[in-house]
Amino acid sequence: MKVKINGEVRDYRTVWMEGSEVNLIDQRKLPHKFEIYKSRNYKETSMAIKEMIVRGAPAIGSAAAFAMAQAALKFNERDMEKFRKYMTGVEKFIKTRRPTAYDLFYALSFMKEKIENADSVNEAKEIAKIESKNYANEIAENCKRIGELGEKLIEDNSKILTHCNAGALCSVDYGTALSPIRFAHYNGKNIHVFVDETRPRFQGSKLTAWELSQEGISHSIIVDNAAGYFMQKGEINLVIVGADRITKNFDVINKIGTYEKAVIAKENGIPFYVAAPKSTFDFNIKSGKEIIIEERSQDEILFIDGIRIAPENSKARNPGFDITPRKYITGIITEKRILK
Ligand code: MRU
């Protein structure tokens, strides 16, 4: 992803590892400050997942893969059995950081499988280092492919709605839903993006709008409740969102508010696409009903920037995600093909 710092444009990934340190673009600070959070061990990387320094399904997965590598590198005994036990504990710990995005679980199983085949602790450490990097590289490559394939769905002069942040910040690079949008822009198509601000954490207005600004892609931020209005007026002609988990029956779990957007899109005859790599597909689960939806702190709703906006005795409910049934989805853009 291109980032302009002091007038200079540089390419950044959202998460990467150098030595035993994991670097993360600190997403809590954007759009006002561009800072890299440097995590020294798996506990700090796990904290970064929980505190949403890194967020978005594929980025969480990549951070988890690097956390496993960090844990392996810190182990300083030679007994392989002890090592396996220790890594199982680490995996269990990381798993509990955020419950909904499947990529977290996918990345942990991927790493565990690779490490388990080692004959010695030293070999396991080497494998962990290499495979965590391979994992992140593959995510970036898959998101690029999603962009190249999905771009074909975007006609010149399209006005596209997106929800939450499904950009490079949510993956390692390119993004999921934002990847086709990026490629349409790179290919010279005239496009405009409607960005849902995405209450309560504002991933749209803080992160998606920042990414689009960095690349000079035309966009307008809208409040979450305005999408229906613009659809009815014919100002939106395509919707692309990401996913945190896709179940066997193709229910899509994504940021709270996605379901409503899908229903209004159908009502207005507007195509509704989901963009996701294979690491988001959970075919162990039959439908969205079986998913644990993260319920976050009510303070995210009751306060804005530390200032209470609701009456002292009011309470709030704050589910992070919702479930969009398959019948509202026109297609799913994967790295291999577009599933209709
Ligand atoms: O709570 P977040 O910010 O981690 O939620 C992220 C989303 O819901 C994204 O839309 C999702 O991960 C899709 S992009 C891969």
Side-chain angles (χ1 to χ4, degrees), residues 52 55-58 98 164 166 170 176 203 242-244 254-255 321:
M52 294 176 73
R55 32 67 50 206
R98 288 197 75 191
C164 194
C170 89
T176 55
Q203 287 95 329
D244 286 87
N254 192 46
K255 182 52 57 198
F321 304 92

Side-chain angles (χ1 to χ4, degrees), residues 14-15 27 49 52 54-65 98-108 135 139 143 164-173 175-177 203 242-246 252-255 274-281 294 321:
T14 297
V15 49
Q27 302 192 34
I49 294 172
M52 294 176 73
V54 61
R55 32 67 50 206
I60 293 173
S62 300
R98 288 197 75 191
T100 306
Y102 185 60
D103 297 63
L104 175 68
F105 304 92
Y106 182 91
L108 292 172
Y135 185 88
I139 290 290
C143 287
C164 194
N165 171 265
L169 291 168
C170 89
S171 54
V172 174
D173 209 346
T176 55
Q203 287 95 329
D244 286 87
R245 204 185 280 230
I246 300 174
V252 168
I253 290 85
N254 192 46
K255 182 52 57 198
V274 176
K278 68 170 183 247
S279 49
T280 305
F281 286 76
E294 180 180 3
F321 304 92

